[in-house]
Amino acid sequence: MRIEKCYFCSGPVYPGHGQMFVRNDCKTFRFCRSKCIKNFKKKRNPRKTRWTKAFRKASGKELTVDNSLEFEKRRNIPVKYNRDLWEKTVEAMKRVEEIKQKRQARFIMNRLKKGKQLEKEEAIVEVKKNIHLIKAPHAGKAKKLEDKMVQKLQEDVDMGDEDV
Amino acid sequence: MALYNFKKIMVVPTAKEFIDITLSKTQRKTPTVVHKHYQIHRIRHFYMRKVKFTQQNYHDRLTQILTDFPKLDDIHPFYADLMNVLYDKDHYKLALGQINIAKNLIDNVAKDYVRLMKYGDSLYRCKQLKRAALGRMCTILKRQKSSLEYLEQVRQHLSRLPSIDPNTRTLLLCGYPNVGKSSFINKVTRADVDVQPYAFTTKSLFVGHMDYRYLRWQVVDTPGILDHPLEERNTIEMQAITALAHLRAAVLYVMDVSEQCGHTLPEQLELFNNIRPLFANKPLIVVANKCDVKKINELSEEDQKIFADLTTDGISVIETSTLTEEGVIQVKNEACDRLLANRVETKMKGKKVHDVLNRLHLAMPAKRDEKERPPFIPEGALVRRKAMEVDAPKRKTERDLEVELGDDYILDLQKYWDLMNEDEKNDKIPEVWEGHNIADYIDPDIMKKLEDLEKEEELKEKAGEYDSDEESEDEEMQEIRVLAKQIKEKKQLLVMASKEKDVHGPRMPRTATKVERKKLEKQMGGLGLDMDDKDDSHYAQQARRSRSVALKRKRETSAPPTSKTRSQSASRPPRDKSGLRDPKMAKKAKKMMKNSQKDMNRHGKKGEADRHVFDLKPKHLLAGKRKSGTNDRR
């Protein structure tokens, strides 16, 4: 019993689910649900259909080359059952999965960091351009001007006093 | 050889069918329409073609029948004789002869009528001639009805004859009815012949095949023969006689020791002596069957003497029982061996042998030194052979286990697995974890790889890859963010407000709605201006002065009032002067106004709302063919 991969979306096909299509040249295609089958029949390229894993990997949105991804590989030479090997493998699998997920998350985070930078710049530009919507340009300046004039008069009076 | 053709003979149709098929074929495959006014040569040609076509068809079909059926002189005498027995040679030849005559007659008829057609001078005459020709051909064939029926039956029976190869190694079983010939063939080969207690269960020859010494052997079962002279034999017995006469085989004469077949041993011996001449040059074995009921030494003296006589004559007598299978293999082996020896002898006497012998040369290698080189037989083979001879008990199979345990039996193939540790055989092996196949991860070096990965991971952590970046922004940036958010919200509110405006309904001009002082002060206050004591401001003073907004201006007061008293109409500046600071600006505003009106005036429009099209489909644009023009200006 194996969990296969859907040809179109690369999702898991559990036993008892999905369909398999065999072409005249003996190439088999497994699908997880009718959405993938319908897209395949419409001759859509999974590498160009945005919601599939194939697209995400091909356009660099997800981690593709990494050592933690080399562990899960379909091997053609069967290995004889050996209890401690199996036990060790299960433990190793869990650890590898952890590391893989950490790395994938880090990759995506790095990709999205640039967006944060752009956001910052956008905010600055926005504020510069449209500040007049929330604050009049000379808000508070009238008072300042008055104060300034009062101060100036005061100074003049002082000066006059001095002169006299 | 001629063997296979028996199955490939074409179906012989009945006379009526034959006629129907040919006539409808003529109707379909020749042209069907001809008119009175056509030229006479055309009419003649039309009808001649029909006559010739029919003749051709009959001729072809009849020739095919004649060639398909085997000629009794050309096939192996065994088959010739068999067919004679079954179908009567004379009748067969006669039937085929009749068909041949019919064919020739049809040809002649057609020839005559085609010649006559040349003298037909009208459509009617030609048509009648054609009718006559076809009619005569069909009558000839109608007369062959019985021959055709007979030939069809012969064909059906022929195709069901067993395919006996007269030249290969054969064993022939013969004897009285019910002695056990069919049981013997059932035991020795894969044939499934009917075995019943009544006489003449087997009514024709049956063939079975078996293997002995890596060669294929035929075993032929015959119907039983009764003891009367040749002339009085019926068809069924004659088949057996034919087989005996023509097939070069080892003969197994089967006798019933227990006399259950209904005939005594002396009677059986009589028959044996009568057909003895047929056994010349053939290896003969007497099979004493049904020995499970009665053995030879239990018989009476005279009967035992019969067998003793046979043995002294040089004919081997073997006791068998097809029920208990004792002696059957012995009979088979001896018959086969003797037949092989006989065949080899005959071949050696012939002429062809020398060609072969001259080309054969058995090479014996000369000894090159004194070392003994005996043939090497591996131990396993010797052990096997010993086991076969002793008939040692075989190892216990699963089937034996199943039978032993009955209902408790569970098929457990895991116990035969070849693992490194024996006690792990009954483990439940995990296959899947969290959506991953464990089989994809199995690798003898997985621990090493995991170690490398962990080291890498440590290095990465040390290098700080996994530290979360805090947003170390200064206060200014944070302020900017807050402001940006507020601006965004304000923008959204404005958009929503403008969407709520009822654009399709009647619109009040800008000057009609009065701006409330409170509203103005609130809005400006929201933008951060100081609106505290603004009683002296211009807008407040104006508000006090004006009495009400909704007073319509009377038409008579369109001329500016002469008195200097400020009247309502004069307090509001005319539209082309409101909002303009100085004459320069006024001039510019006027110029802009004139500019925007230029296009409208040029097109003779009443105003900016005049969208009337005087000529929706101008003829000069839409008429005519599409020549080398474009569509972008129509």
Side-chain angles (χ1 to χ4, degrees), chain B residues 404-598:
Chain B
E404 216 178 294
L405 293 173
D407 265 343
D408 305 327
Y409 173 70
I410 302 168
L411 175 64
D412 180 26
L413 289 171
Q414 286 187 320
K415 64 182 185 242
Y416 292 121
W417 284 0
D418 172 28
L419 296 174
M420 288 184 263
N421 309 350
E422 295 296 315
D423 53 346
E424 288 172 4
K425 277 186 185 172
N426 297 324
D427 270 358
K428 279 203 179 136
I429 305 175
E431 290 176 33
V432 164
W433 175 75
E434 284 237 337
H436 301 280
N437 294 308
I438 293 181
D440 289 343
Y441 284 83
I442 296 289
D443 191 6
D445 323 317
I446 193 167
M447 296 318 288
K448 192 160 88 53
K449 284 196 188 151
L450 185 64
E451 264 182 52
D452 295 336
L453 189 71
E454 298 263 17
K455 278 194 210 135
E456 240 186 78
E457 199 62 18
E458 265 183 54
L459 288 171
K460 279 198 176 165
E461 280 202 30
K462 277 200 208 132
E465 240 187 79
Y466 291 118
D467 302 334
S468 59
D469 314 313
E470 279 117 27
E471 305 257 309
S472 51
E473 282 183 338
D474 45 355
E475 264 202 34
E476 197 190 315
M477 202 54 224
Q478 280 174 354
E479 258 187 54
I480 291 179
R481 276 196 198 268
V482 167
L483 285 173
K485 192 161 165 220
Q486 284 176 349
I487 292 173
K488 207 167 152 196
E489 281 172 15
K490 188 68 196 262
K491 268 195 189 167
Q492 280 176 352
L493 281 172
L494 288 174
V495 166
M496 273 167 55
S498 99
K499 276 193 188 156
E500 277 171 8
K501 272 199 300 193
D502 181 16
V503 198
H504 300 292
R507 298 177 79 176
M508 291 281 265
R510 242 176 339 138
T511 47
T513 52
K514 180 183 175 186
V515 178
E516 298 253 343
R517 180 182 165 183
K518 272 193 287 208
K519 192 166 161 211
L520 176 71
E521 288 188 349
K522 191 165 142 208
Q523 235 182 19
M524 287 301 155
L527 286 178
L529 292 170
D530 180 24
M531 286 282 169
D532 286 337
D533 352 286
K534 290 284 179 180
D535 286 338
D536 294 338
S537 66
H538 181 252
Y539 63 84
Q541 285 177 355
Q542 287 287 69
R544 281 196 290 273
R545 275 209 196 107
S546 66
R547 281 186 218 133
S548 89
V549 180
L551 267 181
K552 253 202 209 166
R553 264 206 274 173
K554 288 205 200 125
R555 295 257 171 116
E556 295 90 71
T557 57
S558 57
T562 46
S563 85
K564 289 258 178 173
T565 55
R566 293 248 175 107
S567 59
Q568 198 185 2
S569 50
S571 64
R572 195 188 286 155
R575 284 192 75 164
D576 51 355
K577 291 203 193 80
S578 72
L580 302 170
R581 284 195 291 265
D582 45 26
K584 187 170 152 221
M585 207 172 168
K587 207 166 153 197
K588 185 156 186 226
K590 188 156 184 203
K591 200 166 158 200
M592 282 170 75
M593 178 188 79
K594 291 290 178 192
N595 233 347
S596 67
Q597 285 175 355
K598 237 199 267 180

Side-chain angles (χ1 to χ4, degrees), chain B residues 62-78:
Chain B
L62 292 172
T63 326
Q64 193 189 36
I65 293 175
L66 287 173
T67 45
D68 272 350
F69 275 90
K71 267 169 96 161
L72 290 180
D73 307 321
D74 285 347
I75 52 181
H76 193 272
F78 166 63

